[in-house]
Amino acid sequence: MITMQTTFVMVKPDGVQRGLVGKIIDRFEEKGLRLVGLKQLTPTHELAASHYAVHSERPFYPGLLKFITSGPVVAMAWSGVEAIKVARNIIGPTNGRDASPGTIRGDWAMDIGHNIIHGSDAEETAEFELGLWFPEGLVDWKRAAEDWVYEE
Ligand code: IDP
Ligand code: MG
């Protein structure tokens, strides 16, 4: 069953400071996903708290909020068939030391907290996160290359 999805991806402050934004965008673009939203911003405490509300009882939550609001992030929306799973595969598991080479975290992260990037984990979270970070909406376009990316 072919499901077109849009997922929320964010380069965290460590990824921005380390100069990895361009290389990270390449991974998603070259895979064949379609960029439908992109902006840089320093998240407010309120925005970060809403985004990570599901983790509010966890011991790492205060440190996580401090980290995410510490500087600019790059927020993105990517569309494609099963884009949520595809993006999570490109990103790799949470702890960079467990992540396989070839994934973003596997290539560039050595830590569970400083792990470079976020990606939505399910349809409901993607919808929530896209509404939160892109209240202005996304860009509606067709990437001509999709005729070659997908068989039908
Ligand atoms: P995910 O980003 O791979 O989906 P989650 O379990 O949803 O991972 O955790 C959200 C974020 O919280 C992680 O990306 C990481 O930045 C941070 N985090 C998760 N677990 C820990 C921890 O044990 N220590 C420090 N930070 C953590
Ligand atoms: Mg998560």
Side-chain angles (χ1 to χ4, degrees):
M1 163 85 177
I2 292 183
T3 324
M4 192 51 88
Q5 295 176 331
T6 303
T7 189
F8 175 69
V9 169
M10 168 179 59
V11 184
K12 296 180 180 180
D14 55 336
V16 174
Q17 291 291 352
R18 288 177 54 187
L20 295 171
V21 173
K23 285 179 175 158
I24 287 170
I25 289 174
D26 273 348
R27 298 271 171 114
F28 294 91
E29 199 174 38
E30 289 174 4
K31 177 69 171 167
L33 292 167
R34 184 194 334 153
L35 185 62
V36 295
L38 175 71
K39 64 183 172 189
Q40 184 175 43
L41 71 160
T42 299
T44 60
H45 181 87
E46 189 189 10
L47 178 58
S50 303
H51 176 79
Y52 281 125
V54 65
H55 295 303
S56 61
E57 303 305 320
R58 308 287 284 279
F60 59 81
Y61 181 72
L64 179 58
L65 284 206
K66 192 164 174 231
F67 168 56
I68 291 296
T69 58
S70 67
V73 302
V74 173
M76 298 181 273
W78 290 96
S79 291
V81 175
E82 297 186 297
I84 295 168
K85 174 183 77 182
V86 169
R88 295 275 292 188
N89 287 342
I90 291 170
I91 289 168
T94 311
N95 187 335
R97 295 195 297 277
D98 295 333
S100 299
T103 65
I104 289 170
R105 287 167 173 167
D107 285 348
W108 295 314
M110 280 292 282
D111 205 51
I112 194 166
H114 287 185
N115 62 4
I116 309 282
I117 186 163
H118 165 85
S120 306
D121 62 7
E123 291 211 26
E124 314 78 67
T125 30
E127 197 177 324
F128 168 74
E129 292 168 0
L130 289 166
L132 185 67
W133 292 84
F134 289 99
E136 69 276 24
L138 302 171
V139 181
D140 184 20
W141 68 297
K142 175 161 191 268
R143 192 176 160 183
E146 281 168 32
D147 289 342
W148 298 98
V149 169
Y150 301 111
E151 191 174 2
E152 54 188 89

